[in-house]
């Protein structure tokens, strides 16, 4: 398949509901914004937000600007949106950082809390950077976190419990990786590509971090707004067919000058 143009990718994102009218309902989004503002650390995704975001309306304003949700505070239920133009703009920013990583043959760590949706996006990006001469960081063996095991599938760190890959927002698995690397005296990553708490934890610890986030995960967008994360790409992070992400990944790798 040819690499999609920007316009073709925007159309694809809307048609597959990766962006545009997404499945995440408005009341769920607002509930998460409120919980973040109320100091619920589960929704901070490993970032330290202090008391800077205690107003739910400030969180909504950031999400409208950086994700493209409806900015009307009176819109309380029904459909919400992700702006596909912001998705593509985020991919372009991520591509620029991946291009830098390839040029410098950096050490890159990949991780996902959404293995059902984004595992192959991360896997393909890792493969492309490896082909370009980057080192994909191998995590220490035997790591445990959140009553599960942390290990790698195709170069991507995941959380496993009972022979099942888990959807997790927790920053604890990423903390286990970074602590384990430091404990073993292994080189730390130059770049982290991740999502959820894996991305938030790495960014909070000062690592260059780029990642993906859904409209109900405001912390990573706030992290980019504050300069803690370098890039947060808005998208629905679990559409019903993960193959829908393939044209998006093609676009990203091509924009980064990496093999597709």
């Amino acid at each position: 398949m040819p690499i999609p143009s920007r316009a073709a990718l925007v159309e694809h994102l809307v048609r597959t509901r990766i962006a545009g009218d997404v499945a995440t309902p408005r009341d769920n989004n607002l509930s998460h914004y409120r919980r973040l503002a109320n100091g619920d650390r589960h929704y901070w995704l490993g970032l330290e937000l202090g008391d800077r975001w205690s107003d739910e309306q400030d969180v909504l304003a950031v999400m409208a600007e950086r994700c493209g949700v409806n900015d009307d505070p009176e819109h309380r239920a029904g459909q919400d949106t992700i702006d596909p133009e912001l998705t593509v703009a985020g991919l372009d920013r991520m591509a620029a950082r991946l291009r830098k990583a390839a040029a410098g043959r950096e050490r890159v760590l990949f991780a996902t809390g959404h293995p059902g949706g984004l595992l192959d996006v991360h896997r393909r990006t890792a493969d492309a950077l490896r082909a370009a001469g980057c080192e994909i960081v191998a995590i220490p063996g035997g790591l445990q976190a959140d009553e599960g095991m942390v290990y790698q599938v195709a170069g991507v760190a995941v959380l496993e419990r009972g022979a099942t890959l888990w959807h997790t927002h927790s920053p604890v698995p990423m903390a286990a990786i970074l602590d384990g690397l430091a404990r073993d005296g292994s080189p730390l990553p130059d770049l982290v590509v991740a999502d959820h708490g894996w991305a938030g934890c790495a960014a909070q610890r000062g690592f260059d971090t780029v990642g993906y986030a859904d409209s109900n995960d405001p912390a990573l967008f706030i992290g980019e707004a504050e300069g803690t994360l370098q890039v947060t790409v808005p998208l629905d992070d679990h559409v019903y067919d993960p193959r829908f992400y393939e044209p998006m990944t093609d676009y990203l790798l091509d924009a980064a000058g990496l093999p597709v």
Side-chain angles (χ1 to χ4, degrees), residues 170-215:
S170 173
V172 175
M174 177 58 79
I177 293 173
L178 298 175
D179 291 345
L181 290 170
R183 183 178 57 249
D184 292 352
S186 300
L188 296 171
D190 301 304
L191 174 66
V192 175
V193 184
D195 49 66
H196 285 180
W198 305 79
C201 175
Q204 186 62 46
R205 292 199 181 196
F207 293 94
D208 283 8
T209 303
V210 299
Y212 303 94
D214 208 331
S215 58

Side-chain angles (χ1 to χ4, degrees), residues 26-256:
R26 177 67 167 191
D27 57 341
N28 181 263
N29 282 346
L30 294 181
S31 172
H32 287 205
Y33 304 168
R34 185 179 313 112
R35 293 180 185 186
L36 180 147
N38 288 340
D40 187 334
R41 285 180 172 267
H42 175 77
Y43 296 91
W44 289 13
L45 301 182
L47 294 167
E48 292 297 330
L49 303 180
D51 59 1
R52 300 184 299 279
W53 298 93
S54 58
D55 187 333
E56 178 186 347
Q57 299 309 314
D58 291 340
V59 179
L60 175 60
V62 168
M63 293 304 293
E65 176 187 10
R66 293 181 175 268
C67 184
V69 303
N70 190 313
D71 65 357
D72 181 2
E74 298 306 314
H75 178 48
R76 311 297 298 179
Q79 190 68 52
D80 213 339
T81 56
I82 293 174
D83 186 340
E85 294 289 348
L86 292 178
T87 303
V88 179
L91 292 169
D92 288 339
R93 296 195 305 278
M94 183 181 284
R97 185 60 186 88
L98 297 178
R99 183 183 292 271
K100 178 183 175 183
R105 298 196 170 186
E106 294 181 348
R107 294 182 300 276
V108 187
L109 173 62
F110 286 84
T112 185
H114 240 303
L118 298 180
L119 179 60
D120 204 50
V121 176
H122 289 300
R123 190 271 307 170
R124 288 186 59 199
T125 309
D127 287 348
L129 284 175
R130 185 184 292 110
C134 289
E135 175 188 346
I136 305 306
V137 174
I139 70 172
L143 295 178
Q144 299 184 34
D146 292 336
E147 301 180 343
M149 300 296 297
V150 184
Y151 65 87
Q152 284 174 299
V153 174
V156 184
V158 294
L159 178 67
E160 181 269 345
R161 293 182 192 162
T164 300
L165 303 186
W166 274 69
H167 171 217
T168 177
H169 289 72
S170 173
V172 175
M174 177 58 79
I177 293 173
L178 298 175
D179 291 345
L181 290 170
R183 183 178 57 249
D184 292 352
S186 300
L188 296 171
D190 301 304
L191 174 66
V192 175
V193 184
D195 49 66
H196 285 180
W198 305 79
C201 175
Q204 186 62 46
R205 292 199 181 196
F207 293 94
D208 283 8
T209 303
V210 299
Y212 303 94
D214 208 331
S215 58
N216 63 355
D217 292 326
L220 298 189
F221 295 99
I222 288 173
E224 185 181 16
E226 293 193 326
T228 311
L229 271 85
Q230 292 192 339
V231 179
T232 300
V233 178
L235 48 66
D236 186 316
D237 54 17
H238 196 101
V239 293
Y240 75 88
D241 188 342
R243 290 174 295 185
F244 290 162
Y245 296 109
E246 290 176 2
M248 181 193 81
T249 310
D250 291 344
Y251 178 93
L252 171 68
L253 298 181
D254 182 68

